[in-house]
Amino acid sequence: MSEIHIEIDNVNAYYNGNHALKNISVKIQKKQITAIIGPSGCGKSTLLKCMNRLIDLTDGVTYSGKILIDNEDIFARKTDIVNIRKKMGLLAQKPIPLPMSIYENIAYGPKIHGTKKKSDLDAIVEKYLKLVGLWEEVKGRLNSPASQLSLGQQQRLCLARGLAVEPEIILCDEPTSALDPVSSQHIEQQLLKLKKDYTIVIVTHNIHQAMRLADYVIHLYLGELVEHGLANEVFENPKEERTRAYINGIFSPDLKIDSEENLKGKMCPYNFVYAKQALHNLEDGKILKIIVDDPLAVTEVPRGMEADGHKVLIVKQINKKDWEIVIQK
Amino acid sequence: MNIRRLKDNISSRLMLAATVFACLLFFSMLIGLYIRARPILSLVPISDLLFSSVWGPSDGKFGFLPFIMGTLWVTGLATIIAVPISLLSSIYLSEYAGNSLRNAVKPLIDLLAGIPSVVYGLWGVLAVVPFIKNTLAPALGVETIGGYGVLAGGIVLSIMVFPIIISVTGEVLRSVTQDMREVSLSLGATKRQTIKHVVLRKARPGIFAAIVLGFSRAFGETMAVLMVVGNVPKVPASVFDPAYPLPALIANTFGEMMSIPLYDSAILLAALMLLIVVLIFNILARMVLIKIEKGVI
Ligand SMILES: Nc1ncnc2c1ncn2[C@@H]1O[C@H](COP(=O)(O)OP(=O)(O)O)[C@@H](O)[C@H]1O
Ligand SMILES: [Mg+2]
């Protein structure tokens, strides 16, 4: 039943002789989310850039092997890379709006591919802004510069812009690492929704994100493919010791939690007040963990704590509604 | 107070003093020029000074129009020649050329910027002027006075402003980040489309600043222009006519004008006009560049 969309076959990549990808062979399923995980510098971005050949822009890079997309080898000399790239949307690490208006950012791709009529473009812009849930927020100011949006809005705009060229694949390179927790969550939800129509490949060094999103996982380490397979299997029962170590390493950072406070169901600013009270009872340097479910608290509590001179160590989502915030006094 | 703080204090004060001195120098120049130009400003209406084309200092007629128009013609022509060529070459250098070519060309362009202007003038007299006189003008069937004129001045000046426009534009293009290009390419744009719609768009204010900087250099340039434009105080009607730009007027006549009443005041007024125009251009361009550096544009 599952269908292969991207077939990576024995790919090697070198930066000026530095061997960044070593004999990578892996198949990526159609209309599924595949997460590429691994520590930084292990070649995740390089692998992603091979898939749309943006790697060509880097000086001194060489690569070999095959990547088949719909049975077309994108490394082959005769392949028209511009057409291949049209099939793939890219969502980068931080949002990069083009230096034009919100409207033009979305219309840019379709225009380049020949859509000329204003009414068609209007319809496209509206459709994709709605798809990423940005329409209501920006419909009154479509002609203002895209750079005036907040980071989270910009990233959704970038997603819409990529979707507007009607790709089949969405490539994401740590798409939420520059965003605040709420915006990150927003993007993750979009990706989950988009999965029914698109093949999604997401690079992430956030293992929790991979767990929340991925159907399949590819674990890279120092340019090698360590393990790949169904996300459940890899996370619950990794075959490789290195995968186990990576997952565990991230799971239990060497933090000794001195006190824990469950603030679920408490609204801002009461959760903040309770957290402060709990901290007050601790000695300096001790660590408090709180669990919150108010989305406002996710940004406001860490901000308030830092303003009070405490150190915020971890802010992460632990399930659909709840967030964990770890603070050191 | 400890000794390091003291040193810090003294050196920052010295630097402040130097800055203040430089600014004072500039303002004293501006004020000095204004005071010396005041006699003519109070005797001749400013509209006559700017818009009359009769230049007869011995009859008390001071119409600056020929000089203003001469400056505009030569500067305008130089800009028209220089802008497309230098933009294309800086786009080529920053977007298409390999690293080795770029590294080889850059010092060459810096060298061009450092050549004294009198050398450009000589080159104009020895190469450009004869070319216009013997080849271009006969081929087009126009009269020139020995090849000297706006065209020769424009060509020589354009070559003098190349380096400024090329190097500033190059900086601006390089400030457009790689990921911006990647975004456009990832949407299926070709390289040409990416450069045209994204890189140049992003770089537009900076390119504008580069052109303005080039223009203001051309505006004030004296020596090379003076040697090839013919120096006839008449409003030019075509690029083959001679012209007499403001800087050439100042350089040619200063010193021989003392006996004629108001003559020196008129020349200093010319200097004041030049200074103000170049100053405005420079401030404009710098403001744009500073904004780009701060990431506002
Ligand atoms: N432009 C480049 N030039 C040279 N080496 C690079 C370049 N980009 C990445 N590398 C190297 O390739 C390896 C893989 O990098 P990358 O794919 O960016 O890793 P990741 O995305 O997993 O953090 C690293 O060792 C990195 O230093
Ligand atoms: Mg990376």
Side-chain angles (χ1 to χ4, degrees), chain A residues 96-318:
Chain A
I96 301 156
L98 294 171
M100 34 187 102
S101 69
I102 296 173
Y103 180 97
E104 287 172 298
N105 259 276
I106 310 280
Y108 179 74
K111 263 193 201 162
I112 272 179
H113 298 298
T115 310
K116 295 238 163 59
K117 257 176 58 193
K118 178 88 168 67
S119 58
D120 292 347
L121 290 171
D122 288 351
I124 291 174
V125 169
E126 182 170 344
K127 173 179 170 189
Y128 289 102
L129 283 176
K130 278 184 173 158
L131 189 65
V132 299
L134 202 57
W135 177 251
E136 290 302 321
E137 291 160 59
V138 302
K139 66 181 175 190
R141 46 172 173 155
L142 290 176
N143 291 321
S144 55
S147 53
Q148 286 176 1
L149 297 174
S150 75
L151 275 186
Q153 289 174 323
Q154 285 182 20
Q155 191 66 317
R156 277 184 282 153
L157 180 75
C158 293
L159 181 60
R161 177 181 64 197
L163 296 176
V165 298
E166 302 187 338
E168 297 160 14
I169 301 169
I170 305 173
L171 304 174
C172 314
D173 192 348
E174 304 187 11
T176 61
S177 60
L179 305 184
D180 61 276
V182 175
S183 303
S184 307
Q185 201 186 355
H186 216 119
I187 291 284
E188 287 185 12
Q189 281 163 359
Q190 304 293 340
L191 292 176
L192 282 172
K193 263 200 284 178
L194 291 168
K195 168 171 103 167
K196 70 178 183 348
D197 297 313
Y198 301 89
T199 301
I200 298 175
V201 182
I202 177 170
V203 163
T204 176
H205 61 219
N206 178 339
I207 203 137
H208 299 280
Q209 185 170 58
M211 286 177 164
R212 288 191 297 268
L213 298 178
D215 303 297
Y216 291 86
V217 176
I218 296 172
H219 178 206
L220 295 183
Y221 185 70
L222 295 178
E224 282 175 49
L225 181 94
V226 178
E227 184 164 357
H228 72 279
L230 279 166
N232 294 342
E233 291 171 12
V234 173
F235 285 131
E236 270 156 35
N237 196 7
K239 291 192 203 70
E240 292 285 326
E241 194 44 46
R242 278 178 296 177
T243 309
R244 188 185 305 274
Y246 179 62
I247 294 172
N248 289 342
I250 295 219
F251 259 143
S252 53
D254 288 329
L255 281 182
K256 199 174 122 324
I257 308 287
D258 298 296
S259 169
E260 211 174 314
E261 199 81 9
N262 187 343
L263 300 176
K264 276 161 56 163
K266 304 250 190 312
M267 297 287 138
C268 267
Y270 300 108
N271 38 30
F272 180 62
V273 175
Y274 281 111
K276 264 184 87 159
Q277 187 62 41
L279 268 183
H280 185 77
N281 297 333
L282 290 177
E283 287 165 36
D284 277 353
K286 297 284 188 204
I287 291 175
L288 168 74
K289 177 166 117 182
I290 59 170
I291 312 282
V292 293
D293 60 356
D294 180 3
L296 209 55
V298 174
T299 47
E300 291 310 313
V301 170
R303 195 174 297 154
M305 288 299 170
E306 302 217 303
D308 281 359
H310 307 301
K311 208 166 141 197
V312 177
L313 302 174
I314 300 177
V315 179
K316 72 180 182 199
Q317 193 170 17
I318 45 180

Side-chain angles (χ1 to χ4, degrees), chain A residues 40-41 43-46 93 173-174 203:
Chain A
S40 81
K44 304 182 297 291
S45 299
T46 307
Q93 201 152 356
D173 192 348
E174 304 187 11
V203 163

Side-chain angles (χ1 to χ4, degrees), chain B residues 152-223:
Chain B
I155 293 174
V156 170
L157 254 190
S158 70
I159 290 170
M160 299 180 66
V161 299
F162 278 166
I164 299 177
I165 303 187
I166 291 181
S167 64
V168 178
T169 307
E171 291 297 323
V172 173
L173 290 178
R174 244 164 288 138
S175 78
V176 178
T177 54
Q178 190 72 3
D179 28 15
M180 192 78 83
R181 296 180 176 82
E182 289 185 2
V183 164
S184 172
L185 292 171
S186 78
L187 293 168
T190 60
K191 184 163 182 171
R192 196 188 59 81
Q193 288 169 325
T194 299
I195 292 169
K196 184 170 160 210
H197 299 299
V198 175
V199 178
L200 289 185
R201 177 120 172 206
K202 178 87 183 160
R204 202 157 51 186
I207 292 174
F208 167 77
I211 293 172
V212 172
L213 279 180
F215 193 83
S216 65
R217 158 111 208 238
F219 208 88
E221 176 49 45
T222 311
M223 205 54 211

Side-chain angles (χ1 to χ4, degrees), chain B residues 74-98:
Chain B
V74 176
T75 314
L77 183 66
T79 311
I80 290 170
I81 300 173
V83 165
I85 298 178
S86 40
L87 287 194
L88 287 176
S89 59
S90 50
I91 291 169
Y92 176 78
L93 283 176
S94 88
E95 303 295 319
Y96 292 94

